[in-house]
Amino acid sequence: MGLPALEFSDCCLDSPHFRETLKSHEAELDKTNKFIKELIKDGKSLITALKNLSSAKRKFADSLNEFKFQCIGDAETDDEMCIARSLQEFATVLRNLEDERIRMIENASEVLITPLEKFRKEQIGAAKEAKKKYDKETEKYCGILEKHLNLSSKKKESQLQEADSQVDLVRQHFYEVSLEYVFKVQEVQERKMFEFVEPLLAFLQGLFTFYHHGYELAKDFGDFKTQLTISIQNTRNRFEGTRSEVESLMKKMKENPLEHKTISPYTMEGYLYVQEKRHFGTSWVKHYCTYQRDSKQITMVPFDQKSGGKGGEDESVTLKSCTRRKTDSIEKRFCFDVEAVDRPGVITMQALSEEDRRLWMEAMDGREPVYNSNKDSQSEATAQLDTVGFSIIRKCIHAVETRGINEQGLYRIVGVNSRVQKLLSVLMDPKTASETETDICAEWEIKTITSALKTYLRMLPGPLMMYQFQRSFIKAAKLENQESRISEIHSLVHRLPEKNRQMLQLLMNHLANVANNHKQNLMTVANLGVVFGPTLLRPQEETVAAIMDIKFQNIVIEILIENHEKIFNTVPDAPLTNAQLHLSRKKSSDSKPPSCSERPLTLFHAVQSTEKQEQRNSIINSSLESVSSNPNSILNSSSSLQPNMNSSDPDLDVVKPTRPNSLTPFRKAKALYACKAEHDSELSFTAGTVFDNVRPSQEPGWLEGTLNGKTGLIPENYVEFL
């Protein structure tokens, strides 16, 4: 079980549960910080103490083996599980290298020490500074609030109003600081999954290059290294997508917190001051209170945010009546009296403001509470799964498959919003919608047609795979055994309404055709999952936890595309029992490793400039919005797309990693097939030809090598390394 997600909506309530959750995240960051310090220390010893190489490497390996990753959420993806066990794999490799006592690599400090120190100082250090600010604002807010609530109601109205305004400003500032701190903690927890492991991977790559006797060991490590690199890249891509979503949600919460409250099981909850009688008089004790309208149960938990702990035992009473306290009957403001069925006397409570008291009063006197649910992106959905809807989707699919199946970036590059809306209006016009034989005119660009298809699916009253099955699909994707995932998703698809299943089958058959042409259009199954996952499986409630599940939405779509013939053309087996599901989760994920044939192989440490990173972040933010976003932010350069790149965003431009010369091996390779050059930069050769100085090229899908003194490009899948 991983760390629970920190919800922005909890910042406003600042409940005991929120504080405990925040503490667990802080403890994890402290543990990570201590581990990084130790790792850096061990790395430096490894570089500087060649004579003590054996002991330093063994300690370093032991440190890696002992550390365990904690992921956010209740399940891990295959990539996260691969990353989680990577430290143990590294430890095994380092122990084997103990027997190869030769000099250490010269650039270990640059590829290992510097990135870890940068992560610890810039990320974990920033989180610590944010914590200091948050603790300071907590103490300040609670102090001012208590002082404000102790003001006598007999003071002048102008003084009271001024005091109210001051408290509101302090409360708003505390709320903003709380949101920023939660966002930073969330960001660092996610970043460590790739910024932590990637330097270690680069360090190991350097070891293999400089160790003469490490070549065979590097060959044995190659499969896991490839799988781990893919997992890191996939995790980084997912992080970039989810980070923009989380940041967007945080901004929405800042602008209007009430519209994005989490749906609570309680009718009302929050802090109240409860008057308690003591031997020396009366005192006001701060409680976190919840009220359930159906059962009329009031639960009071004595809790002080400043001390961070409970001040006594919980108490629950059954509500009998609730009466507003007149201002002239008590010196405190915002008070009301509660009578309980199972407790004698009157309980006097003080709310935090007049508005807060009004909400408590409305909840307790039987008025209907106000719940804010997440609204779909389309305020007025006019699209339906009717004859017109099927006709529109079929026309779009026919146009794509006949005119643009090989167009690069298909479904990732979006069309101009005005053109998309115009095409949709034409297709949805009752006069033209009935003309099933009419194709979409050639004047419409393919990117406009694909954007129209995606937009129409978003305009449906609910997602195509339905809100009620959304959690079930996510749980199916979280099963560790691939066969269990397919079986469960197979069963869920056949529980969908007939029209939804027919439309989903039509779409998956089309996406399978698109994926079959990925060498031309660069859209692999993984890329299509990233594009269509949030559209077909969008959650009903917009929360941080829901954003973290986007990666599992993508997995569901990948399974549907890869197994569309079985899922839609065969009847599912009987549903798995709970015992069978439990057994399937125990099966090792190594029984069927994920396919790596269509994934990126980024085997070198990538260094990106701040300018490029800012450009990528801006592209990510724009691509996650609906097609109505500014078209200027869309990628329209097809040459920048890299084949087989499993990006976390449909419109994310893939930035080619910079490969340091010190980490680039020059190797021999043999041709498996004959090839005739079509350009001067390419080499012509026959099967069995041996190339010298073979190394990665800047051109995707190509290598660079030397033949008879001439250096040129070689197709990557035409050769094997010797």
Side-chain angles (χ1 to χ4, degrees), residues 141 307 500 517 653 677:
Y141 168 66
S307 61
N500 293 63
N517 293 272
D653 186 11

Side-chain angles (χ1 to χ4, degrees), residues 512-545:
N513 291 336
V514 174
N516 289 338
N517 293 272
H518 70 273
K519 291 185 178 180
Q520 292 77 32
N521 58 38
L522 312 183
M523 294 304 293
T524 62
V525 171
N527 287 342
L528 291 171
V530 170
V531 173
F532 282 92
T535 298
L536 302 180
L537 266 176
R538 67 179 182 271
Q540 189 168 10
E541 185 181 357
E542 188 178 8
T543 63
V544 174

